[in-house]
Amino acid sequence: MEQPTRLGRAVKATVLVLVVAAVAYPLLGVLGTSIASQSDIIRSTGLVLWPDHPTLDAYRTILTGGVVTRALLVSIGVTVLGTGASLVVTVCMAYGLSRREVTGSRLILMTALFTMLFNAGIIPNFLLVKGIGLYDTYASLVAPTLVSAFNLVVLRAFFMNLPEELYDAARVDGAGDLRILLRLVLPLSKAVIAVVSLFYAVTYWNAFFNALLYLDGSDKWPLPMVLRTYVLQGQSLSSAAAGESLAPEQAVQMAVLVIAVVPILLVYPFLQRYFTKGVLTGAIKG
């Protein structure tokens, strides 16, 4: 491979700096505005990158009770339980579909892949959720998206690439499918399971459409619905958060946005070392 020229390195460095600046500017603006005082916001007439009078009044407002605190707890519960349930179902289904001796596995796989191309639509999904008694329950935030066909295919490809000799040796030792899955397959699949877990967690954490369709009332809203209603649509959040607020409305809205973004930013570094290995699963065979 040819060594890059000085001009090539300079261009790459310039592009990288511009990309980082384009990402960092709005992030710093949101963070700075969330801790800005009313005078800082009025003076800047927009996002505050560096407030002269920083204050945590906006975070006190939204974390001392009210709709934001309740929505945060709902999002955490739905993300944790939903990710766990999706992993259990997806791993078990992928393991079964990876075994060639399972009758009808190809038909089931084709059915799962069919859902990646065609969707029943909003009205049939709504009627189904309501018909099975999940309407206006937290289960409606998990059940319709319990299994992702993409994640299923990724896990199945990884399980099929494991050496068949390992399965044969385990069966010679008297291990059944459940023991093989728990003692053999899962320990060898930490990378891909970490990546799939991140995909599911991000999906559940950011999802608001199911809540918009299936929840009747704001008492069960997850955090993305609060963002949509009070931040994007511009409705007043200070009174809904915790009574009378000392923080400016714009600072409260940006504080909610920070709280919605930070959990994923904190989780990602712990899974980053698995990410590259996991996303390349199935790309190289042999």
Side-chain angles (χ1 to χ4, degrees):
M1 296 179 64
E2 296 182 1
Q3 294 294 328
T5 63
R6 290 185 178 181
L7 178 60
R9 291 197 296 267
V11 171
K12 292 178 181 179
T14 302
V15 172
L16 181 60
V17 170
L18 292 177
V19 171
V20 171
V23 174
Y25 176 76
L27 183 61
L28 293 176
V30 169
L31 182 60
T33 306
S34 69
I35 59 175
S37 62
Q38 184 67 50
S39 59
D40 293 328
I41 294 176
I42 294 175
R43 184 174 63 256
S44 66
T45 65
L47 294 179
V48 181
L49 292 178
W50 190 264
D52 295 330
H53 307 90
T55 175
L56 297 177
D57 287 343
Y59 292 94
R60 295 190 186 98
T61 298
I62 62 178
L63 294 178
T64 53
V67 63
V68 178
T69 304
R70 184 170 59 247
L72 179 61
L73 295 177
V74 170
S75 289
I76 292 174
V78 169
T79 301
V80 173
L81 297 178
T83 302
S86 293
L87 274 180
V88 171
V89 175
T90 306
V91 166
C92 293
M93 190 174 178
Y95 176 75
L97 294 178
S98 67
R99 300 294 85 210
R100 297 179 178 85
E101 63 272 13
V102 175
T103 304
S105 60
R106 186 171 183 81
L107 176 61
I108 297 174
L109 177 62
M110 291 298 104
T111 303
L113 293 177
F114 184 81
T115 63
M116 296 179 64
L117 303 176
F118 301 97
N119 191 282
I122 296 176
I123 296 177
N125 285 331
F126 177 82
L127 294 176
L128 176 62
V129 169
K130 191 170 183 179
I132 60 180
L134 297 183
Y135 182 74
D136 200 26
T137 65
Y138 292 125
S140 64
L141 304 181
V142 176
T145 55
L146 186 62
V147 178
S148 166
F150 174 79
N151 294 335
L152 177 66
V153 171
V154 170
L155 282 174
R156 176 181 176 271
F158 188 90
F159 294 161
M160 292 186 69
N161 286 335
L162 292 177
E164 194 66 30
E165 292 78 6
L166 293 176
Y167 295 99
D168 295 337
R171 289 192 176 91
V172 169
D173 291 338
D177 285 321
L178 181 59
R179 189 174 180 182
I180 292 175
L181 176 62
L182 297 178
R183 296 293 185 88
L184 178 64
V185 176
L186 293 185
L188 296 175
S189 310
K190 292 180 180 179
V192 67
I193 290 177
V195 173
V196 171
S197 300
L198 180 62
F199 288 164
Y200 274 128
V202 172
T203 299
Y204 283 116
W205 182 262
N206 292 331
F208 77 93
F209 195 63
N210 283 353
L212 182 65
L213 288 179
Y214 307 133
L215 295 183
D216 185 13
S218 61
D219 57 319
K220 293 186 177 70
W221 276 1
L223 194 58
M225 275 297 295
V226 174
L227 281 175
R228 176 184 179 274
T229 303
Y230 294 105
V231 178
L232 296 182
Q233 295 183 351
Q235 297 185 23
S236 177
L237 181 60
S238 297
S239 58
E244 192 67 24
S245 172
L246 299 176
E249 183 66 31
Q250 189 173 353
V252 174
Q253 292 177 347
M254 294 302 103
V256 176
L257 187 57
V258 170
I259 291 178
V261 172
V262 164
I264 298 300
L265 293 181
L266 293 179
V267 171
Y268 182 77
F270 296 100
L271 301 178
Q272 185 178 9
R273 59 175 178 159
Y274 299 111
F275 193 81
T276 303
K277 183 178 179 181
V279 296
L280 292 178
T281 295
I284 301 176
K285 195 172 183 64

